[in-house]
Amino acid sequence: MKKTDNLYKRYNSLSKHESTLLNAMEPLLIFSVKTVKRRTKWNEAAIRNTLFSLKKKKIIQSLKKDNYVFTDRIPENLLKIATVVAAPSYISFWTACSYYGWTEQQIKTVQVVSTKQFPKISLSHYGIIETTTTNPKRMFGYANVNTIPIAEKERVIVDILYKPEKCGGIHEVRKCIKNAWKEVDEEKIFFYLKRFGCKALFARLGYLLD
């Protein structure tokens, strides 16, 4: 099989089972035991043993219970991985500020907003996925960018006003808003602030703009 041969060249010291599993999962970003079973028809014990050996060789990494990813795909898919494992969610706070170029800080934590609560997920030296839980009524103002749900610029400003600590503190929030202001729709910001339903944010924004 051509793909199997390619995987043998790509990784060292693979067993037949390891190569077969990698070959079967190659098209996927994130996969589970159930996915492997459907594609290979193996029994669960064989699947778990093979996944364990691949994790030990650091070829794959566990994201959360029964969720795995190819280790070498993490850097270029970090934002996508975060929104998948914490679904439904969208990228926001300091991570979104970095994405939009409003800060020069190197952000190692991928911050997502979700209606569900998830524990922090460590991706070794690649970073951490951190979830902030929100009321379903406040789950608005984001759009898919290359299949990744990311807060619109105006919604990012609402989020960092609400939780400045998620953006390095109030001084960093001021800097991000200053850098963002020429790019945003002011009317949409005020509309989102009103819809968000926290009157204190209007005063906070006014203070920072002054």
Side-chain angles (χ1 to χ4, degrees), residues 140-160:
F140 64 86
Y142 60 93
N144 284 330
V145 180
N146 297 323
T147 73
I148 301 170
I150 299 179
E152 295 175 348
K153 294 177 180 180
E154 294 79 8
R155 178 57 201 256
V156 177
I157 290 178
V158 173
D159 286 342
I160 63 177

Side-chain angles (χ1 to χ4, degrees), residues 175-192:
K175 184 177 69 176
C176 288
I177 291 177
K178 179 181 177 181
N179 292 335
W181 203 249
K182 60 183 178 294
E183 305 173 9
V184 298
D185 182 333
E186 294 180 34
E187 288 188 8
K188 183 183 279 190
I189 290 174
F190 291 115
F191 173 74
Y192 280 175

Side-chain angles (χ1 to χ4, degrees), residues 72-89:
D72 61 0
R73 293 182 185 173
I74 292 174
E76 61 183 294
N77 293 289
L78 199 50
L79 300 186
K80 178 68 174 178
I81 290 167
T83 55
V84 170
V85 297
S89 63

